[in-house]
Amino acid sequence: MDIAQLILDDHHEQRRLFAILEQINRTDTDALSAIWDRLAAFLELHAQAEEEIFYPALLQAGIAANRTGPVEDETLDAIHDHNDIRDAVADVARHRVGTDDWYAAVAAANLANSDHMAEEEREGLTEFRRLAGLAQRHQLAVTFATYEARNYAGVRAVDKDPDSYVRAAEKAQIPPSGSLTVGSLKRR
Protein backbone atom coordinates (compact mmCIF):
# COMPACT_ATOMS: atom_id res chain seq x y z
CA MET A 1 0.00 0.00 0.00
CA ASP A 2 1.29 3.45 -0.93
CA ILE A 3 -0.18 6.79 0.15
CA ALA A 4 0.41 8.15 -3.35
CA GLN A 5 -1.81 5.40 -4.78
CA LEU A 6 -4.52 5.98 -2.16
CA ILE A 7 -4.59 9.66 -3.09
CA LEU A 8 -4.83 8.72 -6.78
CA ASP A 9 -7.67 6.32 -5.96
CA ASP A 10 -9.52 9.14 -4.17
CA HIS A 11 -8.98 11.37 -7.20
CA HIS A 12 -10.50 8.71 -9.43
CA GLU A 13 -13.55 8.50 -7.15
CA GLN A 14 -13.95 12.29 -7.19
CA ARG A 15 -13.85 12.31 -10.99
CA ARG A 16 -16.37 9.45 -11.06
CA LEU A 17 -18.81 11.26 -8.78
CA PHE A 18 -18.60 14.48 -10.81
CA ALA A 19 -19.27 12.41 -13.95
CA ILE A 20 -22.29 10.77 -12.33
CA LEU A 21 -23.75 14.20 -11.58
CA GLU A 22 -23.48 15.10 -15.26
CA GLN A 23 -25.50 12.01 -16.22
CA ILE A 24 -28.47 12.44 -13.87
CA ASN A 25 -31.60 14.11 -15.19
CA ARG A 26 -31.77 17.62 -13.75
CA THR A 27 -35.34 17.01 -12.56
CA ASP A 28 -34.16 14.15 -10.31
CA THR A 29 -33.15 16.50 -7.52
CA ASP A 30 -33.19 13.73 -4.89
CA ALA A 31 -30.50 11.81 -6.79
CA LEU A 32 -28.53 14.97 -7.55
CA SER A 33 -28.64 15.99 -3.88
CA ALA A 34 -27.57 12.57 -2.66
CA ILE A 35 -24.62 12.32 -5.04
CA TRP A 36 -23.56 15.93 -4.46
CA ASP A 37 -23.77 15.58 -0.67
CA ARG A 38 -21.55 12.49 -0.85
CA LEU A 39 -19.09 14.23 -3.17
CA ALA A 40 -18.95 17.44 -1.13
CA ALA A 41 -18.26 15.49 2.06
CA PHE A 42 -15.66 13.36 0.29
CA LEU A 43 -13.85 16.39 -1.14
CA GLU A 44 -13.45 17.86 2.34
CA LEU A 45 -12.47 14.57 3.96
CA HIS A 46 -9.84 14.02 1.27
CA ALA A 47 -8.44 17.56 1.68
CA GLN A 48 -8.29 17.19 5.47
CA ALA A 49 -6.56 13.80 5.19
CA GLU A 50 -3.96 15.31 2.87
CA GLU A 51 -3.48 18.27 5.20
CA GLU A 52 -3.14 16.07 8.28
CA ILE A 53 -0.96 13.36 6.78
CA PHE A 54 0.41 13.81 3.26
CA TYR A 55 1.56 17.43 3.09
CA PRO A 56 3.34 17.45 6.47
CA ALA A 57 5.19 14.30 5.37
CA LEU A 58 6.06 15.91 2.02
CA LEU A 59 7.45 18.97 3.82
CA GLN A 60 9.48 16.85 6.24
CA ALA A 61 10.84 14.75 3.37
CA GLY A 62 11.79 17.93 1.51
CA ILE A 63 13.61 19.28 4.56
CA ALA A 64 15.50 16.00 4.98
CA ALA A 65 16.54 16.03 1.31
CA ASN A 66 17.44 19.75 1.24
CA ARG A 67 14.58 20.36 -1.21
CA THR A 68 12.58 22.66 1.03
CA GLY A 69 11.82 25.31 -1.60
CA PRO A 70 10.02 23.11 -4.14
CA VAL A 71 7.97 21.19 -1.55
CA GLU A 72 7.05 24.40 0.26
CA ASP A 73 5.79 25.88 -3.01
CA GLU A 74 3.79 22.74 -3.79
CA THR A 75 2.30 22.68 -0.31
CA LEU A 76 1.42 26.38 -0.27
CA ASP A 77 -0.31 25.94 -3.61
CA ALA A 78 -2.17 22.83 -2.45
CA ILE A 79 -3.51 24.48 0.70
CA HIS A 80 -4.60 27.48 -1.35
CA ASP A 81 -6.30 25.09 -3.81
CA HIS A 82 -8.06 23.27 -0.96
CA ASN A 83 -9.42 26.61 0.26
CA ASP A 84 -10.64 27.41 -3.27
CA ILE A 85 -12.35 24.01 -3.49
CA ARG A 86 -14.00 24.59 -0.09
CA ASP A 87 -15.26 27.96 -1.28
CA ALA A 88 -16.58 26.42 -4.50
CA VAL A 89 -18.38 23.67 -2.56
CA ALA A 90 -19.91 26.28 -0.26
CA ASP A 91 -21.11 28.20 -3.32
CA VAL A 92 -22.99 25.14 -4.58
CA ALA A 93 -25.00 25.13 -1.35
CA ARG A 94 -26.28 28.64 -2.12
CA HIS A 95 -28.26 27.39 -5.13
CA ARG A 96 -31.35 25.26 -5.54
CA VAL A 97 -30.42 21.76 -6.73
CA GLY A 98 -30.94 21.18 -10.44
CA THR A 99 -31.04 24.84 -11.46
CA ASP A 100 -28.71 26.41 -13.99
CA ASP A 101 -26.96 28.29 -11.17
CA TRP A 102 -26.48 25.05 -9.23
CA TYR A 103 -24.99 23.32 -12.27
CA ALA A 104 -22.70 26.29 -12.88
CA ALA A 105 -21.51 26.16 -9.26
CA VAL A 106 -20.93 22.40 -9.49
CA ALA A 107 -18.95 22.95 -12.71
CA ALA A 108 -16.82 25.59 -10.95
CA ALA A 109 -16.15 23.17 -8.07
CA ASN A 110 -15.25 20.47 -10.59
CA LEU A 111 -12.84 22.81 -12.37
CA ALA A 112 -11.14 23.92 -9.14
CA ASN A 113 -10.81 20.33 -7.99
CA SER A 114 -9.64 19.04 -11.38
CA ASP A 115 -6.94 21.70 -11.63
CA HIS A 116 -5.74 20.85 -8.12
CA MET A 117 -5.69 17.10 -8.74
CA ALA A 118 -3.76 17.46 -12.00
CA GLU A 119 -1.13 19.64 -10.38
CA GLU A 120 -0.86 17.40 -7.33
CA GLU A 121 -0.49 14.31 -9.49
CA ARG A 122 2.13 15.99 -11.66
CA GLU A 123 4.14 17.61 -8.84
CA GLY A 124 3.42 16.72 -5.20
CA LEU A 125 2.91 13.00 -5.60
CA THR A 126 5.80 12.67 -8.03
CA GLU A 127 8.11 14.58 -5.69
CA PHE A 128 7.03 12.51 -2.70
CA ARG A 129 7.74 9.24 -4.52
CA ARG A 130 11.26 10.55 -5.20
CA LEU A 131 11.85 11.63 -1.60
CA ALA A 132 10.12 8.97 0.51
CA GLY A 133 10.82 5.27 0.64
CA LEU A 134 8.19 2.60 0.20
CA ALA A 135 8.13 1.75 3.92
CA GLN A 136 7.26 5.35 4.81
CA ARG A 137 4.71 5.59 2.01
CA HIS A 138 3.13 2.35 3.27
CA GLN A 139 2.91 3.57 6.87
CA LEU A 140 1.41 6.86 5.73
CA ALA A 141 -1.08 4.92 3.58
CA VAL A 142 -2.24 3.02 6.66
CA THR A 143 -2.62 6.30 8.55
CA PHE A 144 -4.41 7.95 5.61
CA ALA A 145 -6.84 5.05 5.14
CA THR A 146 -7.52 4.94 8.88
CA TYR A 147 -8.16 8.69 8.99
CA GLU A 148 -10.65 8.48 6.13
CA ALA A 149 -12.35 5.44 7.70
CA ARG A 150 -12.66 7.10 11.10
CA ASN A 151 -14.11 10.23 9.54
CA TYR A 152 -16.31 8.61 6.87
CA ALA A 153 -19.31 10.65 8.03
CA GLY A 154 -17.47 13.85 7.14
CA VAL A 155 -15.34 16.56 8.68
CA ARG A 156 -15.93 20.25 9.21
CA ALA A 157 -14.63 22.45 6.40
CA VAL A 158 -12.07 24.95 7.64
CA ASP A 159 -9.98 27.19 5.37
CA LYS A 160 -6.35 27.38 6.40
CA ASP A 161 -3.77 30.10 5.99
CA PRO A 162 -1.19 28.46 3.67
CA ASP A 163 1.83 30.24 5.20
CA SER A 164 0.85 29.40 8.79
CA TYR A 165 0.13 25.83 7.75
CA VAL A 166 3.58 25.38 6.19
CA ARG A 167 5.39 26.98 9.15
CA ALA A 168 3.58 24.72 11.63
CA ALA A 169 4.13 21.57 9.57
CA GLU A 170 7.83 22.30 9.08
CA LYS A 171 8.37 22.81 12.82
CA ALA A 172 6.53 19.64 13.80
CA GLN A 173 7.97 16.19 14.00
CA ILE A 174 5.70 13.55 12.49
CA PRO A 175 4.43 11.37 15.37
CA PRO A 176 3.84 7.61 14.92
CA SER A 177 0.20 8.30 14.04
CA GLY A 178 1.36 10.29 11.01
CA SER A 179 -1.00 13.13 11.92
CA LEU A 180 0.27 16.54 12.89
CA THR A 181 -3.26 17.68 13.78
CA VAL A 182 -2.71 20.83 11.77
CA GLY A 183 -6.39 21.02 10.92
CA SER A 184 -6.93 23.48 13.74
CA LEU A 185 -4.70 26.18 12.26
CA LYS A 186 -5.85 29.76 11.79
CA ARG A 187 -8.95 30.17 9.68
CA ARG A 188 -8.84 32.51 6.73
Side-chain angles (χ1 to χ4, degrees):
M1 196 167 36
D2 183 334
I3 191 168
Q5 187 59 52
L6 290 183
I7 289 170
L8 290 169
D9 292 346
D10 278 6
H11 290 180
H12 174 76
E13 180 64 6
Q14 292 165 22
R15 288 178 177 108
R16 188 181 76 82
L17 290 169
F18 273 112
I20 287 171
L21 285 173
E22 294 171 0
Q23 297 175 45
I24 297 172
N25 187 307
R26 70 179 20 218
T27 63
D28 192 349
T29 57
D30 287 339
L32 290 169
S33 292
I35 300 298
W36 173 253
D37 289 348
R38 165 69 180 115
L39 176 55
F42 185 49
L43 290 169
E44 184 55 34
L45 176 57
H46 175 80
Q48 290 280 3
E50 285 183 347
E51 291 167 1
E52 288 283 330
I53 298 152
F54 175 70
Y55 282 103
L58 175 63
L59 286 164
Q60 292 296 320
I63 290 168
N66 293 317
R67 296 214 11 94
T68 305
V71 298
E72 276 183 354
D73 291 344
E74 290 165 23
T75 303
L76 286 166
D77 190 51
I79 302 307
H80 183 269
D81 289 351
H82 287 174
N83 290 340
D84 288 346
I85 295 164
R86 288 179 180 110
D87 294 344
V89 167
D91 188 47
V92 173
R94 294 192 233 327
H95 305 286
R96 202 176 76 229
V97 176
T99 63
D100 289 343
D101 289 340
W102 184 84
Y103 274 101
V106 168
N110 190 1
L111 180 61
N113 191 58
S114 295
D115 288 349
H116 166 69
M117 290 187 302
E119 189 171 12
E120 185 173 72
E121 291 167 6
R122 197 174 51 250
E123 296 172 7
L125 293 175
T126 300
E127 188 73 15
F128 193 66
R129 284 190 195 104
R130 287 184 189 126
L131 297 174
L134 189 55
Q136 181 186 12
R137 295 193 325 258
H138 172 80
Q139 183 55 49
L140 289 168
V142 171
T143 303
F144 192 88
T146 302
Y147 182 92
E148 287 190 329
R150 285 193 177 131
N151 294 287
Y152 72 92
V155 294
R156 193 170 132 261
V158 178
D159 277 353
K160 292 163 188 72
D161 175 66
D163 292 319
S164 296
Y165 173 90
V166 167
R167 282 193 305 277
E170 285 178 337
K171 288 179 186 173
Q173 295 297 320
I174 299 175
S177 70
S179 176
L180 295 177
T181 61
V182 294
S184 62
L185 291 176
K186 175 185 168 190
R187 291 183 208 181
R188 188 172 75 162

